[in-house]
Amino acid sequence: MTTHAKSPEDVPAEPTAKRLPSAVVARLTVYLRALNGFVAEGVERVSSEELADASGVSSATLRKDLSQLGSYGTRGVGYEVENLLQHLSAALGLTRDWRVAIVGAGNLGRALARYGGFETRGFEVVALLDTDPQIIGNEVGWLRVADAANLESIFKRTRANMAVLALPGSAAQQACDRVVAAGVRSILSFAPAILQVPRGVTLRKVDMATELQILAYHAQRGEAGGQTGEDEHGEPAAGTASA
Amino acid sequence: MTTHAKSPEDVPAEPTAKRLPSAVVARLTVYLRALNGFVAEGVERVSSEELADASGVSSATLRKDLSQLGSYGTRGVGYEVENLLQHLSAALGLTRDWRVAIVGAGNLGRALARYGGFETRGFEVVALLDTDPQIIGNEVGWLRVADAANLESIFKRTRANMAVLALPGSAAQQACDRVVAAGVRSILSFAPAILQVPRGVTLRKVDMATELQILAYHAQRGEAGGQTGEDEHGEPAAGTASA
DNA sequence: TAGATTGTTAATCGATTAACAATC
DNA sequence: TAGATTGTTAATCGATTAACAATC
């Protein structure tokens, strides 16, 4: 699918490319997941109300979000599931080829490498690196752990364009710098460290301890709150319990 | 107003326990991390400017956030690192005892169980459960994998008050229900599934695929954007690259 | 056409920023 | 006191919600 199929229909009339608020981007991924659920159930058409319910947002928010991408629904009818799925994928940039290199083959790195969730959603894990001689060469899933000393050449050969950092906080910044130097501009870090990246590089961070701390806050004060999802600006995600 | 000296207005604003916006809560965890960094460096006092820089936010935002907790700084001087650390921890509810049970001892569950980040921040992993007979009984770190069939009794015995779900999407909802039934009101899910929880239960979700999708969006459109952290409403976190 | 539901506008709500008076 | 920096207020900005006209 990397080929440039330029038939008129394929070219989305969207040089519009408005910058979407990050809260919207986060919700789009939720809608995507919900739509996949509908596809699995054989549902062909949904209303904003139905999709919003499945996504845990209000239908007003859903329509507002979708309308930022274009008019992909039909008044009085709803949205065609497959069609909307395509447009959402396109808007999120998922029609491209994303090749992910995982840096760090410790417990977490190995777990991530074997995690099935990537493949099914358009991401391919193309490399798994570590510096530990004890680990280098081991097979993990269908990958072999490569020597992180060769990071640059490995990234080049595998054409990795995303990196996942799964290493100790102490090693994270250095690894991050090398990954950036290798030309990667999208990084997901699981390292418990505050990382510095140059402009033009997008870094996202997932930290277990942070998540637990936020849970602690809610638990401490009578909680009451429903669920919240990951993501910037903390949009409520994948909700439920809205009632 | 009444003649009673006990009218609400008279009560000192000390135990006020205002509900903090989730964006603020998320940032507090960042400040906490930054403060720990200062402690490690032996710094005893910081200005809002310094702490804000280290946290990747503006000093105005920092002061606004901290002022919601109380007045813990000294005008003309700054904040005492240790003192502020204490207050932040208290505000986040980290002075309590948090006992975490990990449900699912697959690759991810085992990785999490061995992850050092918890202990150092006041969370104790007290149990690791799975349903697979092949895995039950195995040692992981200093824990032994217990049979998830006994989930209720294990949670009771270990007095677990937080749960981490590290299992396939297909098994997640059922496990989640049992965890809730066992009395846990704070759940962190790594399962790629939209989970339903009753009111009063706080659920947070971390999903690799979602994170990568968000990265894909930024990469697809000239990126430009700096870094963003986890959390609701997506506050920029742990930033850098601000220059 | 009548019924339904989108896309959009206007109103509300909340969060961030800037500026400064209070005060150490 | 003079200098510094907090805590807070007011202004700006952005996001959510509600309502409805457009239209299938």
Side-chain angles (χ1 to χ4, degrees):
Chain A
M1 57 169 77
T2 39
T3 55
H4 299 270
K6 293 193 174 180
S7 65
E9 286 96 341
D10 293 341
V11 180
E14 49 181 349
T16 317
K18 284 179 287 195
R19 192 189 187 323
L20 299 174
S22 55
V24 174
V25 175
R27 282 194 299 264
L28 293 187
T29 71
V30 178
Y31 304 154
L32 204 59
R33 206 155 32 191
L35 284 171
N36 277 318
F38 283 119
V39 167
E41 292 170 13
V43 177
E44 294 183 347
R45 190 181 288 155
V46 289
S47 67
S48 61
E49 192 70 37
E50 292 166 325
L51 183 52
D53 280 355
S55 305
V57 302
S58 72
S59 67
T61 297
L62 176 91
R63 289 198 301 276
K64 192 97 207 289
D65 288 349
L66 294 186
S67 73
Q68 304 213 35
L69 308 181
S71 286
Y72 302 132
T74 306
R75 294 173 196 230
V77 178
Y79 303 88
E80 290 200 13
V81 173
E82 272 297 353
N83 184 257
L84 188 54
L85 207 44
Q86 293 306 316
H87 284 295
L88 284 187
S89 292
L92 285 171
L94 302 180
T95 53
R96 270 205 212 166
D97 237 40
W98 295 111
R99 282 181 292 279
V100 182
I102 299 175
V103 183
N107 294 319
L108 184 59
R110 290 198 297 269
L112 294 176
R114 285 187 281 215
Y115 175 63
F118 295 125
E119 313 297 329
T120 63
R121 306 212 222 168
F123 298 93
E124 185 185 358
V125 179
V126 296
L128 178 57
L129 320 183
D130 206 290
T131 54
D132 185 346
Q134 298 272 319
I135 294 180
I136 295 169
N138 288 357
E139 276 190 23
V140 176
W142 55 89
L143 285 172
R144 190 172 288 278
V145 179
D147 189 345
N150 308 321
L151 188 146
E152 289 75 10
S153 64
I154 293 166
F155 271 57
K156 193 165 192 180
R157 176 167 51 76
T158 59
R159 294 185 328 244
N161 49 12
M162 281 194 176
V164 173
L165 305 182
L167 26 70
S170 56
Q173 184 63 62
Q174 201 196 2
C176 182
D177 292 344
R178 288 183 68 187
V179 161
V180 169
V184 171
R185 296 157 75 100
S186 303
I187 301 172
L188 175 59
S189 171
F190 287 86
I194 298 181
L195 298 177
Q196 312 288 326
V197 293
R199 289 205 140 265
V201 173
T202 306
L203 170 70
R204 287 186 64 82
K205 242 181 82 50
V206 173
D207 181 13
M208 246 72 65
T210 298
E211 298 297 330
L212 294 183
Q213 286 172 353
I214 294 173
L215 281 178
Y217 170 77
H218 290 292
Q220 174 224 25
R221 65 180 315 288
E223 62 263 55
Q227 54 301 98
T228 52
E230 67 289 304
D231 191 60
E232 277 184 292
H233 311 102
E235 320 70 16
T240 184
S242 41
Chain B
M1 82 170 78
T2 70
T3 54
H4 283 279
K6 296 182 182 178
S7 66
E9 286 94 343
D10 295 335
V11 178
E14 224 278 83
T16 310
K18 285 180 284 195
R19 192 188 185 324
L20 298 174
S22 57
V24 174
V25 175
R27 282 194 299 264
L28 293 187
T29 71
V30 179
Y31 305 155
L32 206 58
R33 205 154 34 190
L35 284 171
N36 278 318
F38 283 120
V39 167
E41 291 170 14
V43 176
E44 294 184 347
R45 191 181 287 155
V46 289
S47 67
S48 61
E49 193 70 35
E50 292 167 323
L51 183 52
D53 280 355
S55 305
V57 302
S58 72
S59 67
T61 297
L62 177 91
R63 288 198 302 276
K64 192 95 207 291
D65 288 350
L66 294 186
S67 74
Q68 303 213 35
L69 308 180
S71 286
Y72 301 133
T74 306
R75 292 174 196 228
V77 177
Y79 302 88
E80 290 201 13
V81 173
E82 272 296 353
N83 183 256
L84 188 55
L85 206 44
Q86 293 308 314
H87 284 295
L88 285 188
S89 293
L92 285 171
L94 301 180
T95 52
R96 270 205 211 165
D97 237 40
W98 294 109
R99 281 182 292 277
V100 181
I102 300 175
V103 183
N107 294 319
L108 183 60
R110 291 198 297 268
L112 295 176
R114 285 188 281 214
Y115 175 63
F118 294 126
E119 313 298 329
T120 64
R121 306 213 222 168
F123 298 93
E124 185 185 359
V125 179
V126 296
L128 178 57
L129 320 184
D130 206 290
T131 54
D132 185 345
Q134 298 272 319
I135 294 180
I136 294 169
N138 287 358
E139 277 190 22
V140 176
W142 55 88
L143 286 172
R144 190 171 289 278
V145 179
D147 188 345
N150 307 320
L151 188 146
E152 289 76 9
S153 63
I154 293 166
F155 272 57
K156 193 165 191 180
R157 176 166 50 75
T158 60
R159 294 183 328 232
N161 48 12
M162 280 193 176
V164 172
L165 304 182
L167 27 70
S170 56
Q173 185 63 61
Q174 201 196 2
C176 182
D177 292 344
R178 287 183 69 187
V179 161
V180 169
V184 170
R185 298 156 74 100
S186 303
I187 301 172
L188 174 59
S189 172
F190 287 86
I194 298 181
L195 299 177
Q196 312 288 326
V197 292
R199 290 205 140 262
V201 173
T202 305
L203 170 70
R204 288 186 64 83
K205 242 181 80 52
V206 172
D207 183 11
M208 245 72 63
T210 298
E211 298 297 329
L212 294 183
Q213 286 171 352
I214 293 173
L215 280 178
Y217 169 76
H218 291 292
Q220 174 225 26
R221 66 180 313 287
E223 61 263 58
Q227 55 299 96
T228 52
E230 66 290 305
D231 190 55
E232 277 185 292
H233 310 103
E235 318 71 16
T240 185
S242 38

